[in-house]
Amino acid sequence: MKVIPAPSTFIQALHKASVTCSTSGCSGVVTVVDLSARYDRVKTFSFCCDQCDWKQTIPGELQVDPPWDEAELIEITEEHLLHLEPVCPHDHAPVHFHSLPNPRRQARYQISCHYCGRQAELEWPPAEAKW
């Protein structure tokens, strides 16, 4: 499977990092606006340079097939547990962990990639790790 990385400006916007204009000869500050609705699987960002009026909209590319396999989920989870930034193996965009309510008092998470829209839910620790 060919990996197509998410655009670096999209990743900067996810991190809420400052973005500078990429137009030749301009180093203006870029205003970034998240155009996504709260429950969109993929995010869309609007970029506008305050100096030269360059504008661009970068949406995520919804592609949920193939879903993450077991090995990819283990790698994502291990990176998260090691306090590294987990990334989606399909596009190298950061993966977001969202804690879900669970009445059995076990850790339950929804893992999401806001670029490709892949999602998975998992309980921690996994059933095979329990005594």
Side-chain angles (χ1 to χ4, degrees), residues 5-14 19 22 30 32-36 42-48 54-61 114-115:
S8 61
T9 49
F10 186 93
I11 294 173
Q12 285 177 290
L14 279 174
V19 178
S22 61
V30 174
V32 180
V33 178
D34 185 353
L35 302 176
S36 313
V42 297
K43 288 194 172 277
T44 300
F45 293 103
S46 171
F47 301 89
C48 180
W54 164 84
K55 293 178 181 168
Q56 184 177 15
T57 300
I58 301 178
E61 295 184 16
H114 292 300
Y115 187 73

Side-chain angles (χ1 to χ4, degrees), residues 64-75:
V64 294
D65 288 322
W68 290 318
D69 62 27
E70 192 69 29
E72 291 169 334
L73 282 172
I74 289 171
E75 182 179 346

Side-chain angles (χ1 to χ4, degrees), residues 38 69 76 92 110 112:
R38 183 175 176 185
D69 62 27
I76 290 169
H92 297 243
Q110 179 182 50
S112 304

